[in-house]
Amino acid sequence: MAIVNTLKMFEAAKRDGFAVGAFNVNNMELLQGIIWAAKEQQAPLILQISRGARQYANMKYLRALIDVAAEEAPEIPIVIHLDHGDLDTALVCIDEGYTSVMYDGSKLPLAENIANTKKVCEHAHGKDPYVCVEAELGMLGGIEEDVVGVAEEDVMKFLTDPDEAEQFVKDTGCDSLAVAIGTSHGAYKFKHEPKLAFDRIDEIAAKIPDTPLVMHGSSSVPAEFVAAINKYAVLDQSNAELCRVAGESNWEQMPKTMGVPEEAIARAAKMAVCKVNIDTDLRLALTSSILRAWGESNDALWAWMQAGSEGKRPDFPFDPRKYLGPGREAVKAIVARKMQALGSAGKAKSVMG
Ligand code: G3H
Ligand code: 13P
Ligand code: ZN
């Protein structure tokens, strides 16, 4: 079992020019998809748990599942990380045995962000074994359950300031820093191909060369997942088959949207970015796969009816294993793809030393 903190992981990432993927876990299928990808790709892994995930699943369940995953993949270094923690949750998670926590004070006045981050660092760094702290400076866009950011048009106005970053790291002693470089959370990041501030990564890194940088909001929102959701998720069940057969698209669930292209995360991974956060793409993979399973069964039923309802009526997949099984395979595939893009595939050994 190799549950570790981020120190050696980021050291290797910096040395070898890759970034570690940090993937959000809310349930067993997501975790299995992620760990199976890490094992297949021999990639170091950060499992991150948000406050929402802790509430949804109960941390005791998640921790037990993670321990089993770590036993299943003893050669993979795994970090258990709190995603977007507030002060109380960060302190609790440090005591609960997380090996890394994020304290997100980015929406607070700077002095308060510094004071709280410092408190978290003092508590975390006093632990044996050492617990790592990720802090955040600058503001991302997008909205998730517990994470509200700035509007899309304002994202570029709130990039992390390099001088402020230097002072912040000095004052707080944080181990890594999440920076705003133009990305945002969730599925609705950009209406057009985004322009990320790569030069800002270099400017920040020049001021804090020893601090690994973290990139949040890094999902690419793959078009094939959006298309599958729009094809199979229907607002009006009674019209669904008619619309589909007629090729009508006025019942789309997800409007046009774009994420961070995988070439962009690959580029950042070769720079000072050592951790890349991905949640939305896993949600989309799982959900589109479930909808496809249900939609294909509707198609089969439609075809059977069109053919005169002869023979055995196609079954609807109400057994959860029939749709969650393909769902976790879809999660595994997208996570494996990210590990390749980030260059972390094959790097588990170089972290373990
Ligand atoms: O950045 C936030 C993560 O995607 C977690 O979202 O708070 O809805 O679990 P959540
Ligand atoms: P996405 O919403 O782009 O997946 O970002 C997730 C994230 O930053 C979690 O902290
Ligand atoms: Zn985030």
Side-chain angles (χ1 to χ4, degrees), residues 254-265:
M254 293 188 68
K256 186 174 182 301
T257 174
M258 297 190 81
V260 178
E262 277 166 10
E263 308 80 69
I265 61 169

Side-chain angles (χ1 to χ4, degrees), residues 320-346:
R321 295 169 296 189
K322 295 265 165 54
Y323 52 86
L324 291 175
R328 71 183 167 183
E329 287 303 323
V331 170
K332 179 184 169 195
I334 189 73
V335 171
R337 197 166 108 187
K338 301 293 173 182
M339 288 168 164
Q340 287 175 9
L342 295 172
S344 66

Side-chain angles (χ1 to χ4, degrees), residues 61-331:
Y61 280 88
L62 291 179
R63 179 63 205 234
L65 288 167
I66 290 170
D67 285 341
V68 176
E71 264 171 39
E72 201 187 353
E75 75 282 26
I76 304 300
I78 300 173
V79 168
I80 305 178
H81 175 79
L82 169 68
D83 190 27
H84 292 286
D86 57 15
L87 185 56
D88 288 347
T89 316
L91 297 176
V92 165
C93 290
I94 292 165
D95 291 337
E96 262 180 20
Y98 281 52
T99 56
S100 170
V101 295
M102 175 194 192
Y103 169 67
D104 180 358
S106 60
K107 318 291 176 299
L108 299 175
L110 182 62
E112 210 177 322
N113 188 3
I114 291 175
N116 288 351
T117 304
K118 213 170 148 187
K119 257 185 220 158
V120 175
C121 287
E122 278 162 8
H123 192 52
H125 296 166
K127 289 279 171 188
D128 185 15
Y130 186 94
V131 176
C132 292
V133 178
E134 174 185 326
E136 180 165 337
L137 195 61
M139 243 195 272
L140 273 75
I143 295 176
E144 292 298 284
E145 203 172 307
D146 285 318
V147 185
V148 180
V150 293
E152 184 186 341
E153 55 277 18
D154 291 332
V155 162
M156 298 306 270
K157 288 187 214 151
F158 290 91
L159 300 185
T160 305
D161 178 87
D163 293 318
E164 213 167 79
E166 185 178 18
Q167 194 58 47
F168 183 90
V169 169
K170 236 184 236 157
D171 290 349
T172 61
C174 65
D175 301 280
S176 59
L177 187 66
V179 290
I181 56 144
T183 63
S184 69
H185 288 103
Y188 302 103
K189 298 184 193 303
F190 314 107
K191 293 193 184 76
H192 307 284
E193 184 88 13
K195 282 198 178 64
L196 300 186
F198 288 104
D199 45 352
R200 188 58 66 100
I201 298 177
D202 280 338
E203 287 157 15
I204 299 167
K207 297 280 183 181
I208 45 170
D210 297 329
T211 307
L213 304 185
V214 179
M215 200 167 130
H216 282 243
S218 302
S219 279
S220 59
V221 194
E224 67 266 27
F225 295 159
V226 175
I229 287 170
N230 283 335
K231 180 168 179 199
Y232 293 117
V234 288
L235 285 172
D236 180 355
Q237 197 62 43
S238 62
N239 270 334
E241 299 309 324
L242 290 174
C243 285
R244 196 187 334 227
V245 168
E248 288 175 14
S249 59
N250 56 353
W251 42 276
E252 282 188 351
Q253 304 271 317
M254 293 188 68
K256 186 174 182 301
T257 174
M258 297 190 81
V260 178
E262 277 166 10
E263 308 80 69
I265 61 169
R267 183 171 166 194
K270 292 196 183 84
M271 302 170 75
V273 170
C274 293
K275 171 174 180 271
V276 170
N277 284 15
I278 297 168
D279 183 8
T280 298
D281 283 355
L282 278 60
R283 298 179 181 198
L284 292 171
L286 184 62
T287 303
S288 61
S289 170
I290 291 169
L291 291 171
R292 177 178 288 111
W294 291 335
E296 282 175 354
S297 113
N298 281 346
D299 286 348
L301 186 60
W302 179 254
W304 176 80
M305 282 161 61
Q306 293 296 299
S309 306
E310 297 266 325
K312 190 180 175 302
R313 188 183 194 276
D315 283 335
F316 183 78
F318 60 82
D319 175 348
R321 295 169 296 189
K322 295 265 165 54
Y323 52 86
L324 291 175
R328 71 183 167 183
E329 287 303 323
V331 170

